[in-house]
Amino acid sequence: MSKAKLLIVDDTPENIDLLVSILAGAELDILAANSGERALELVPRTQPDLVLLDVMMPGIDGFETCRRLRALPGGQDLPVIFVTARAEDTSQGFAAGGVDYIAKPVRADEVRARVHHHLEKRRLLRDLQQLNAQLETRVRERTQELVQANRQLREEINERRFMQDRLSYLATHDFVTRLYNRDALETHVQSLLGQASRGDDSACIVLVELARFSIVNDACGYIAGDELLRQVADLLAALAAGDDFIARLGGDRFAIICPRSTDTVLALGQRIKRAFEGFVFYWDGRPYSVDARVAVVPIGTEYYSFEQVMAKADEASYLARREGGPGVRLHQPSPREADPREAVNWAYRLLDALKSDHFRVFFQRIVPLQDGLPNGLRFETLIRLWDPEQQRVISPAAFIGPAERYQIIDQVDRWMLRAVLGQLAALPAELLPRVELVSINLSAYSLRDAGLADYILGLLADHPCAPSKLCFEITETEAIVNLEVAQAFMHRLKAAGLRFSLDDFGTGFASFAYLKRLPFDSLKIDGAFVRDMDHDEANATMVRSMVQMAQALGLPVVAEFVESARIAAALRELGVQYAQGYHFHQPEGLSEAALRSAV
């Protein structure tokens, strides 16, 4: 049996090398192309069975490459998996002809599983086509021997039906949990939206997103992670009604379509939440507490496409993750957002806010926990949006997601840089020296901006401020797709005296790669672990491990979301150097008067 051929298309050799190393033992003939143009040359000659295609490439990008592949002889049937770091690329990738996607930074187990899954589908399809051709030939040859060959023919027909059923199953089900997949969910939702008798309160989508899944996946391996997902699938199936449609969206996210009223579905959401409060996953004899965030979104009559429903569902999931809370989140559009298309208005609102200077700078103190540390003022700057119509301040949880989704976040970051440096430069000469460190959040998406380093250095030249007073907090995120670019950016600014901190440390699976390759000066432990570490032993253990790692690396640690003296004392005992949270300081507008009060 000949080996399957895999073509990897990526303009970054390191990414190609990584994928090759992951698939080294998979009995594959692996080919590589460093551009879309090269891929279009190789495909007709080599006839690969599967293509792993990067989205962002010079020349023609991944989407255009996929469309051109589809126009080649035999290209219509060639499966293409997009490799991307941006969640918004997925719908465009499917529209261009992709069959699946893999999120960057890639996970070895996910890459192997998806490659194996689609190669098996292609093999089954080819076997089915070959079997059909053979059957047609045999029927013609044995027309005169139908009686004698009837039994054998029935067996072959049954085999073909089995393969067709198997292929149909693979196309509509998730290969880990055996639940329906995203494609099947889309078909089901479109059918639901097409029902003429559907009312505003006749159906809901329930979003279930696991909390602490990455702890199990990282600590115990992908086999344990897959087993956890299967147990969660069984739990959801046991709680849902017989006519509910359950699907895995990917990663640690699940969706349930319930054809019932909102109140009834909210009761289901509460049952799911309670079930997870008592759910414990065991692996190698060790217990792991795995909670879940649950959001319920009514599917009103204003929705007319699957994309609209998922856009609102993704927004609900994002807000549930950002805002937290113990209960089930019911997400309904405000009167201003009754039409799902109103979400697009965030782009216009943010652009108008940038033009009209409607953003505001807040700050929260960062206090030392250990004796002997410098006693200068440290604080993190926080961005807020001022709504002049309603005369209120809007939390970043409402607009950072749309800013990233519509690729405006880099402009928001630049506004924040200008505003913070401008306010620092305007401080009186006797006050500025008392400011020891100012942390500014910088989106990982902005690291892709080739001109950002020059822009920051130019601001420092125009607004005299010691570079050593500034620390950029970069959130641990899959958006850092090119570590070499991030590395060059950070080294250039560090040479000028600026500092960097890895924010929300511990929430993702890329922590160790970032720590190894990017020159961070400090770590900020994600508040999700800190907030309840005084009564959650698993979180306390995670915090202790992260502190020990930071100590081994010689990096100071900041803990956020410190909301009680008890947690502050526990962090001090662990050796954590700095902390911030409501226990010490409620965020307030950045001003000279506020800073004088904080000093």
Side-chain angles (χ1 to χ4, degrees):
M1 183 175 178
S2 60
K3 294 182 179 179
K5 293 182 181 179
L6 172 68
L7 174 60
I8 301 174
V9 185
D10 198 306
D11 63 311
T12 304
E14 291 81 1
N15 292 345
I16 295 176
D17 293 340
L18 176 60
L19 291 171
V20 170
S21 66
I22 289 173
L23 298 168
E27 294 297 316
L28 296 171
D29 282 336
I30 301 178
L31 310 171
N34 60 4
S35 68
E37 293 86 347
R38 179 58 177 164
L40 293 171
E41 295 175 4
L42 284 176
V43 167
R45 298 206 315 264
T46 60
Q47 297 294 308
D49 297 290
L50 179 64
V51 176
L52 295 183
L53 180 58
D54 185 32
V55 171
M56 299 180 66
M57 295 186 296
I60 61 173
D61 62 13
F63 301 134
E64 180 61 23
T65 300
C66 185
R67 283 189 283 268
R68 295 188 187 183
L69 284 176
R70 291 286 177 254
L72 295 175
Q76 283 294 328
D77 299 327
L78 178 61
V80 175
I81 301 177
F82 282 103
V83 183
T84 178
R86 303 191 308 172
E88 62 268 28
D89 287 343
T90 57
S91 60
Q92 190 175 354
F94 289 127
V99 299
D100 206 344
Y101 73 95
I102 296 173
K104 285 184 178 180
V106 298
R107 291 172 44 202
D109 52 305
E110 183 182 15
V111 171
R112 296 190 193 100
R114 292 189 185 276
V115 167
H116 173 76
H117 175 69
H118 287 286
L119 286 176
E120 182 183 9
K121 285 176 61 177
R122 186 164 176 82
R123 179 183 63 78
L124 286 172
L125 183 60
R126 285 181 172 176
D127 289 347
L128 180 61
Q129 292 171 343
Q130 183 179 5
L131 183 59
N132 283 336
Q134 292 173 353
L135 282 174
E136 292 173 1
T137 301
R138 290 175 182 175
V139 168
R140 287 194 298 269
E141 293 174 349
R142 298 180 183 181
T143 301
Q144 304 303 320
E145 304 173 359
L146 287 177
V147 176
Q148 295 84 354
N150 187 51
R151 181 176 180 179
Q152 181 180 354
L153 186 59
R154 282 200 305 269
E155 292 176 354
E156 292 173 347
I157 291 174
N158 288 337
E159 181 182 355
R160 181 177 67 178
R161 288 175 177 169
F162 172 78
M163 294 182 67
Q164 288 174 327
D165 291 342
R166 177 63 176 166
L167 187 61
S168 175
Y169 182 87
L170 289 173
T172 58
H173 286 75
D174 173 60
F175 54 87
V176 174
T177 63
R178 300 297 184 260
L179 296 176
Y180 287 108
N181 60 17
R182 187 186 178 94
D183 290 340
L185 180 68
E186 178 175 1
T187 301
H188 182 78
V189 170
Q190 285 296 160
S191 174
L192 175 68
L193 296 177
Q195 295 177 6
S197 59
R198 185 173 66 89
D200 276 326
D201 198 32
S202 61
C204 295
I205 180 171
V206 180
L207 269 295
V208 179
E209 184 174 7
L210 303 186
R212 308 188 190 96
F213 170 75
S214 60
I215 298 176
V216 175
N217 214 38
D218 294 347
C220 305
Y222 72 92
I223 296 178
D226 288 351
E227 176 58 27
L228 172 56
L229 291 174
R230 282 189 284 270
Q231 291 188 20
V232 170
D234 292 341
L235 176 64
L236 295 178
L239 293 171
D243 57 348
D244 289 341
F245 190 96
I246 312 175
R248 181 189 174 204
L249 294 175
D252 57 1
R253 302 175 68 213
F254 299 82
I256 307 174
I257 303 297
C258 305
R260 291 183 297 285
S261 66
T262 303
D263 290 341
T264 306
V265 178
L266 273 175
L268 170 63
Q270 297 291 352
R271 290 198 300 273
I272 293 174
K273 187 67 177 176
R274 287 194 297 270
F276 272 100
E277 289 173 356
F279 176 77
V280 179
F281 175 72
Y282 290 90
W283 190 259
D284 287 340
R286 293 190 60 184
Y288 295 88
S289 176
V290 181
D291 200 355
R293 293 175 285 268
V294 182
V296 175
V297 183
I299 305 176
T301 54
E302 72 273 12
Y303 296 100
Y304 54 84
S305 72
F306 173 73
E307 288 75 17
Q308 286 182 330
V309 173
M310 288 311 301
K312 186 57 65 177
D314 288 341
E315 181 180 347
S317 179
Y318 173 80
L319 293 177
R321 182 169 61 253
R322 295 280 295 195
E323 297 176 4
V328 176
R329 180 185 178 88
L330 173 61
H331 187 80
Q332 290 180 312
S334 66
R336 292 170 56 89
E337 297 178 347
D339 187 343
R341 290 170 292 185
E342 182 69 17
V344 179
N345 288 342
W346 264 115
Y348 301 111
R349 292 182 65 184
L350 292 171
L351 291 172
D352 183 64
L354 289 166
K355 181 179 178 180
S356 304
D357 212 31
H358 286 163
F359 288 105
R360 299 291 182 266
V361 180
F362 278 53
F363 79 103
Q364 185 178 45
R365 289 173 53 210
I366 301 173
V367 302
L369 292 180
Q370 306 297 331
D371 296 332
L373 292 174
N375 59 2
L377 176 61
R378 288 173 170 247
F379 59 87
E380 177 184 356
T381 56
L382 307 165
I383 192 167
R384 301 290 189 266
L385 176 62
W386 172 250
D387 186 341
E389 294 183 7
Q390 300 186 25
Q391 293 290 299
R392 67 186 182 95
V393 173
I394 299 176
S395 165
F399 62 84
I400 291 298
E404 293 177 345
R405 189 179 312 143
Y406 298 114
Q407 301 179 26
I408 306 173
I409 190 66
D410 55 337
Q411 298 180 53
V412 175
D413 280 350
R414 290 193 177 211
W415 183 94
M416 188 69 170
L417 289 166
R418 290 194 304 271
V420 172
L421 286 174
Q423 289 188 250
L424 290 178
L427 292 177
E430 81 280 2
L431 180 58
L432 183 59
R434 303 177 71 178
V435 176
E436 180 185 345
L437 188 71
V438 179
S439 292
I440 305 174
N441 287 285
L442 193 62
S443 168
Y445 292 94
S446 294
L447 299 187
R448 305 173 185 176
D449 183 354
L452 183 60
D454 289 331
Y455 182 78
I456 293 172
L457 295 175
L459 284 177
L460 286 171
D462 295 336
H463 302 83
C465 176
S468 60
K469 291 181 181 293
L470 299 181
C471 177
F472 290 122
E473 294 190 5
I474 300 178
T475 301
E476 178 187 332
T477 170
E478 297 177 22
I480 303 181
V481 295
N482 192 324
L483 288 178
E484 286 71 23
V485 172
Q487 203 173 36
F489 170 82
M490 294 173 66
H491 278 300
R492 185 174 179 200
L493 293 186
K494 280 178 68 68
L498 290 96
R499 296 187 246 182
F500 289 88
S501 179
L502 179 57
D503 195 11
D504 291 343
F505 179 63
T507 56
F509 52 78
S511 309
F512 301 108
Y514 292 166
L515 285 177
K516 183 178 180 182
R517 301 187 59 182
L518 299 179
F520 287 105
D521 299 284
S522 61
L523 302 179
K524 178 175 281 189
I525 299 176
D526 184 77
F529 299 104
V530 177
R531 180 188 286 127
D532 57 357
M533 63 176 286
D534 56 337
H535 60 268
D536 188 317
E537 182 58 32
N539 279 355
T541 300
M542 288 298 298
V543 171
R544 188 179 304 111
S545 299
M546 286 184 272
V547 172
Q548 290 172 352
M549 179 186 300
Q551 291 171 343
L553 296 171
L555 297 177
V557 176
V558 181
E560 59 182 357
F561 287 88
V562 179
E563 299 177 353
S564 70
R566 183 176 176 181
I567 292 178
L571 293 169
R572 184 179 295 109
E573 185 176 349
L574 289 177
V576 174
Q577 286 87 351
Y578 297 95
Q580 69 179 99
Y582 286 177
H583 174 63
F584 300 107
H585 183 213
Q586 293 273 356
E588 59 181 311
L590 181 63
S591 66
E592 178 185 340
L595 290 180
R596 287 190 182 278
S597 298
V599 171

